[in-house]
Amino acid sequence: MSRYNISHETIINAPVTKVWKELIAIDDWSWNRWTKLKSSTPPKEGIQGKLLASYDGNDVWKEFDFTFGKVSESDYLLTWKGSVGLGGCLFSGYHTMRLEEVVGEEGVESETSNTTTRLIHREEFGGLLAKLGLGLPYKTLDRNYLLMNEALKECVEGKK
């Protein structure tokens, strides 16, 4: 556990199935200027790939190894993880993007239905480097994860 863990929630004015379609299509994350997941297959637990991170959203990418964690269409859950050192003793990160259907929440309604989606976007960091606040630009990541949420929201809400 690290004090640098990140958590953001965003309400998206679209049905959960529409948001899931954009989220799970990792080969077409054109909305996402900060993170790309490269894999030889669609997301599936245990599949390894390369995570590309652009801290400034400017197409300058840093590459990291990752492995998909649980991926569940029925739970609208996409997770991935990475680590450095034996068992992540130096550093580990566990990234979660989960969707929840929100029905009839006051003040929140989409144009096409009365359902909206809550995007819950988190990363938990572990290992010695994370405990010391080293290894990654945590404040920048915190900002970028919120920007990712807002970009996904804009993408989905803009599609008819």
Side-chain angles (χ1 to χ4, degrees):
M1 187 91 150
S2 165
R3 67 175 184 245
Y4 298 101
N5 291 345
I6 297 169
S7 182
H8 292 289
E9 293 187 14
T10 301
I11 296 295
I12 300 174
N13 295 312
V16 69
T17 53
K18 185 176 179 182
V19 181
W20 177 253
K21 183 179 175 185
E22 290 295 328
L23 180 61
I24 198 66
I26 62 168
D27 289 338
D28 187 26
W29 274 11
S30 56
W31 53 268
N32 190 342
R33 297 185 356 228
W34 307 272
T35 302
K36 304 288 184 196
L37 300 177
K38 300 296 181 185
S39 172
S40 60
T41 68
K44 182 179 176 185
E45 188 168 356
I47 298 295
Q48 296 180 340
K50 298 289 182 186
L51 180 146
L52 303 178
S54 178
Y55 298 127
D56 294 320
N58 60 357
D59 283 331
V60 176
W61 300 96
K62 184 162 178 154
E63 185 175 289
F64 301 92
D65 293 327
F66 82 95
T67 303
F68 282 110
K70 185 173 181 183
V71 178
S72 171
E73 183 172 0
S74 63
D75 294 327
Y76 303 110
L77 177 67
L78 175 63
T79 68
W80 62 91
K81 56 191 173 184
S83 64
V84 177
L86 187 60
C89 65
L90 285 179
F91 179 83
S92 65
Y94 191 84
H95 202 116
T96 302
M97 295 182 84
R98 181 169 53 91
L99 306 176
E100 292 179 350
E101 183 177 48
V102 180
V103 180
E105 190 167 294
E106 245 183 83
V108 180
E109 190 170 312
S110 74
E111 294 174 10
T112 57
S113 75
N114 64 350
T115 63
T116 58
T117 300
R118 178 177 291 112
L119 166 59
I120 302 159
H121 189 174
R122 295 190 170 127
E123 185 151 16
E124 294 182 11
F125 299 103
L128 181 61
L129 293 176
K131 287 185 191 313
L132 297 173
L134 303 172
L136 287 174
Y138 298 100
K139 287 182 181 179
T140 300
L141 290 177
D142 186 54
R143 178 202 68 198
N144 289 356
Y145 292 0
L146 181 57
L147 289 171
M148 284 171 62
N149 284 18
E150 292 170 353
L152 178 58
K153 174 183 173 78
E154 184 178 308
C155 171
V156 173
E157 289 179 358
K159 289 190 175 183
K160 301 293 179 197

